[in-house]
Amino acid sequence: MDSKMFCYQCQETARNSGCTLAGVCGKSAEVSNLMDMLVWVTKGLSQVSTRLRSEGKDVGSEVNHLVTFNLFSTITNANFDDQAIYTRILLTIDMKTRLIAQLADASNLSEAALYVESDRRTIEDKARSIGVLSEKNEDIRSLKELITYGLKGVSAYSKHANVLIKDDEALDSFIQSSLAALLEKKSVDELVALTLETGKWGVTGMALLDSANTGAYGNPEITEVKLGVGKNPGILISGHDLRDLKMLLEQTQGTGVDVYTHSEMLPAHYYPAFKKYPNFVGNYGNAWWKQKQEFASFNGPILMTTNCIVAPDASYKDRIFTTGATGFPGVKHIGGDIGETKDFSQIIEMAKKCEAPTELETGKLVGGFAHNQVFALADKVVDAVKSGAIKKFVVMAGCDGRSKSRDYYTEFAKALPKDTVILTAGCAKYKYIKLNLGDIGGIPRVLDAGQCNDSYSLALIALKLKEVFALDDINELPIAYNIAWYEQKAVIVLLALLSLGVKNIHLGPTLPAFLSPNVANVLVENFGIAGISNVEDDISLLVG
Ligand code: SF4
Ligand code: SF3
């Protein structure tokens, strides 16, 4: 059968090879092709902005924000709205045209930089010839896509910092020069070097977001998060955007409407700034992929601030809203640019007419172990390592997903010896954070640093331990890495860890389809990257 699209950017890609008719995620071929076009014209725009910089001219933050927003929109499960993607293509072409007019030397620009079209049918036809498979050499394609996905991940983190009025021109400049480089002929060696460089800038991006979040909302601290529900109607907020949450909490004060977090918004409870809101009740449900059942039983409106959105069922389609880079056809979108206050009044008014959430569970979970909090406990942690009470830390950060094979992570967590501690971040935690794995001398056996971007905290914690134990190499620490990946934010987290010198990371539940055998070999030989096998063998391999 003729393929209608090609996408292999996430862990759920069809047959671990590529989605060719429609996305396993629900993305249509039409949207997938439009996304290919959006990425291509964004590379073209980046070539122009990079040349402007080399001519000593300023590239405004408007361009930087357009680039990162575009890439963010193409992340798995962020945006399914064909019209929204088409509109961004037109915006990007328009911006490109304006920037080209400012160039002193506009010679030898690429086809992507010069492409000017507004007719949707023509754009869709062209999209079919500039996608992933247009690069014929599988190793070059593999590396170029690996870099592109890393850039998508760091763009998402950068965008979250931007909404808190934190920008890093050097990071934006790197993102754009790299996108431009991907339009050029490059050798495998050059692309391997750019991959590592991308990881380095991934650390910068996560640090930028960390300082934006902690600057605005304080340092995460040990927190008990309620899992049950109250009697008031509620709004459920999901995704990673803390500023959206802040605006929602402010606008719901005194309305009789409670606010609950879902999936990656859970760690918001760990920040001091959000604790002062009496209607910020707790966390409802689990990771993104359980949203169909959980959004139905929540009974009130849901606000998706970022990925991961799943095609909504009819039972709640009229009470789910998107904002920021997310979108779904037929779902109401709340606008608002950087610096603007979003108007959530229609969501609040809807909530008032809804029933309170149906209780899924009771009890609480404990989290808030980002770098500042762990450093405050450093003496206790170091003593526990020195006394042998803690034998090993296992980093199990990353993503959750619907594949049955991910039950491995629950079983792995259960099977870990009692003298091990799990360090986590991202929605992967839902596989084991509610297991009550106990504590070691008051230190919980699952330490949740926060969202996937807070993997930065895990890196800082590792570097701190290396310093305390006066080690030369981060790999001498008693830390093993068993990371679950799903989408492209996990790709930048992985590249960031590699750039910090972390070796022997196990990645599952499958290795990325976009790694060609040769590129996978480079990662195996230089960094000891490996897949997973079964719980028993992996426990003995990783914790001995
Ligand atoms: Fe397939 Fe994943 Fe791409 Fe969706 S994002 S089309 S599931 S590879
Ligand atoms: Fe989860 Fe999508 Fe990746 Fe931020 S929300 S970790 S999967």
Side-chain angles (χ1 to χ4, degrees):
M1 202 183 293
D2 249 6
S3 82
K4 296 192 161 87
M5 58 177 276
F6 187 82
C7 180
Y8 62 174
Q9 67 175 352
C10 84
Q11 191 275 326
E12 290 189 351
T13 195
R15 303 169 305 280
N16 205 31
S17 148
C19 297
T20 55
L21 299 175
V24 172
C25 58
K27 185 165 82 175
S28 67
E30 185 184 24
V31 170
S32 183
N33 294 333
L34 285 169
M35 284 182 173
D36 287 347
M37 176 54 85
L38 182 58
V39 170
W40 190 64
V41 293
T42 304
K43 287 175 178 168
L45 171 66
S46 297
Q47 188 183 45
V48 179
S49 63
T50 301
R51 190 172 298 183
L52 269 177
R53 285 191 177 92
S54 72
E55 290 182 0
K57 294 173 184 138
D58 276 347
V59 174
S61 58
E62 199 192 346
V63 177
N64 297 340
H65 296 163
L66 184 75
V67 169
T68 50
F69 196 104
N70 285 355
L71 292 192
F72 194 175
S73 308
T74 68
I75 279 184
T76 302
N77 290 340
N79 202 315
F80 294 84
D81 186 349
D82 57 316
Q83 189 57 37
I85 303 299
Y86 171 60
T87 303
R88 295 211 66 82
I89 293 169
L90 298 185
L91 270 174
T92 308
I93 290 175
D94 181 56
M95 178 69 87
K96 224 156 40 88
T97 310
R98 283 192 275 148
L99 293 191
I100 289 174
Q102 295 173 30
L103 281 175
D105 174 11
S107 63
N108 299 319
L109 288 171
S110 66
E111 189 191 1
L114 295 171
Y115 186 74
V116 185
E117 188 53 70
S118 57
D119 176 62
R120 177 153 167 178
R121 179 65 68 84
T122 313
I123 286 176
E124 284 179 10
D125 284 346
K126 177 71 182 169
R128 291 176 60 81
S129 66
I130 49 80
V132 173
L133 297 179
S134 62
E135 172 56 64
K136 299 296 174 212
N137 179 309
E138 76 164 349
D139 297 328
I140 300 289
R141 183 197 307 145
S142 173
L143 286 162
K144 285 191 168 180
E145 292 307 315
L146 172 60
I147 294 164
T148 303
Y149 305 150
L151 294 173
K152 287 185 182 194
V154 75
S155 289
Y157 295 154
S158 186
K159 194 250 167 193
H160 290 311
N162 298 158
V163 298
L164 294 168
I165 320 298
K166 290 270 188 189
D167 282 77
D168 182 341
E169 163 65 20
L171 172 60
D172 287 304
S173 164
F174 171 77
I175 292 172
Q176 290 160 41
S177 65
S178 305
L179 287 169
L182 297 175
L183 291 169
E184 296 164 11
K185 272 206 178 327
K186 295 280 175 198
S187 67
V188 164
D189 287 350
E190 286 172 316
L191 290 171
V192 168
L194 186 55
T195 305
L196 297 182
E197 185 78 357
T198 303
K200 208 180 98 204
W201 285 96
V203 178
T204 305
M206 285 192 269
L208 178 72
L209 179 53
D210 181 79
S211 87
N213 282 339
T214 56
Y217 309 122
N219 271 300
E221 55 196 17
I222 302 177
T223 305
E224 288 187 347
V225 182
K226 197 175 148 195
L227 300 175
V229 300
K231 294 200 168 18
N232 293 334
I235 296 171
L236 189 57
I237 179 167
S238 190
H240 306 67
D241 196 309
L242 298 182
R243 182 160 186 269
D244 286 337
L245 171 69
K246 173 84 160 53
M247 290 185 276
L248 183 66
L249 286 171
E250 272 168 9
Q251 292 173 34
T252 49
Q253 291 317 294
T255 61
V257 173
D258 288 341
V259 174
Y260 294 80
T261 53
H262 189 261
S263 191
E264 274 286 73
M265 197 56 86
L266 155 70
H269 292 280
Y270 311 156
Y271 287 86
F274 301 125
K275 292 186 175 165
K276 66 174 188 230
Y277 297 101
N279 65 331
F280 192 34
V281 173
N283 190 68
Y284 188 82
N286 296 280
W288 65 274
W289 62 277
K290 290 207 169 158
Q291 67 189 253
K292 275 187 193 269
Q293 303 97 297
E294 294 172 356
F295 288 2
S297 64
F298 184 73
N299 301 328
I302 304 116
L303 175 61
M304 300 298 300
T305 67
T306 69
N307 59 319
C308 283
I309 183 168
V310 169
D313 277 349
S315 64
Y316 63 86
K317 189 164 184 185
D318 60 347
R319 55 180 167 86
I320 181 167
F321 296 78
T322 60
T323 189
T326 53
F328 200 92
V331 165
K332 287 175 244 48
H333 186 83
I334 310 283
D337 282 334
I338 293 173
E340 292 176 0
T341 299
K342 295 183 180 180
D343 178 3
F344 294 131
S345 56
Q346 58 173 314
I347 306 183
I348 298 166
E349 286 315 306
M350 178 184 281
K352 286 179 184 167
K353 299 185 197 98
C354 292
E355 280 175 40
T358 306
E359 192 152 81
L360 294 176
E361 58 195 325
T362 55
K364 56 188 187 308
L365 61 77
V366 178
F369 297 92
H371 54 87
N372 193 68
Q373 178 64 82
V374 176
F375 290 178
L377 296 171
D379 288 348
K380 209 170 171 182
V381 173
V382 169
D383 286 349
V385 174
K386 283 186 176 156
S387 74
I390 295 179
K391 288 262 168 43
K392 198 127 195 182
F393 297 93
V394 186
V395 173
M396 292 181 72
C399 307
D400 198 4
R402 54 201 138 195
S403 142
K404 188 86 184 101
S405 59
R406 287 179 187 265
D407 290 348
Y408 161 93
Y409 293 102
T410 306
E411 297 311 315
F412 185 89
K414 280 189 199 161
L416 277 170
K418 300 268 177 284
D419 54 8
T420 53
V421 169
I422 295 173
L423 302 175
T424 193
C427 65
K429 67 171 79 62
Y430 287 98
K431 279 283 185 269
Y432 42 79
I433 199 165
K434 297 174 183 173
L435 291 177
N436 293 322
L437 293 178
D439 64 275
I440 299 175
I443 302 165
R445 286 195 55 230
V446 180
L447 299 180
D448 179 27
Q451 298 176 335
C452 48
N453 40 291
D454 295 309
S455 298
Y456 174 68
S457 265
L458 303 183
L460 288 191
I461 292 164
L463 291 170
K464 182 75 176 176
L465 290 174
K466 176 182 161 234
E467 183 193 311
V468 172
F469 290 109
L471 300 172
D472 295 330
D473 184 344
I474 201 166
N475 297 297
E476 291 169 25
L477 285 166
I479 304 182
Y481 294 81
N482 194 2
I483 289 179
W485 83 285
Y486 173 56
E487 31 81 338
Q488 299 75 54
K489 293 177 182 183
V491 174
I492 195 60
V493 169
L494 174 72
L495 295 182
L497 289 174
L498 296 185
S499 83
L500 290 169
V502 176
K503 295 214 158 65
N504 304 321
I505 295 174
H506 289 252
L507 197 60
T510 52
L511 288 179
F514 55 79
L515 296 180
S516 68
N518 288 332
V519 171
N521 264 342
V522 170
L523 294 178
V524 171
E525 279 165 19
N526 293 296
F527 300 101
I529 294 267
I532 57 170
S533 58
N534 61 70
V535 170
E536 202 183 326
D537 290 350
D538 288 350
I539 292 270
S540 69
L541 184 67
L542 288 169
V543 290

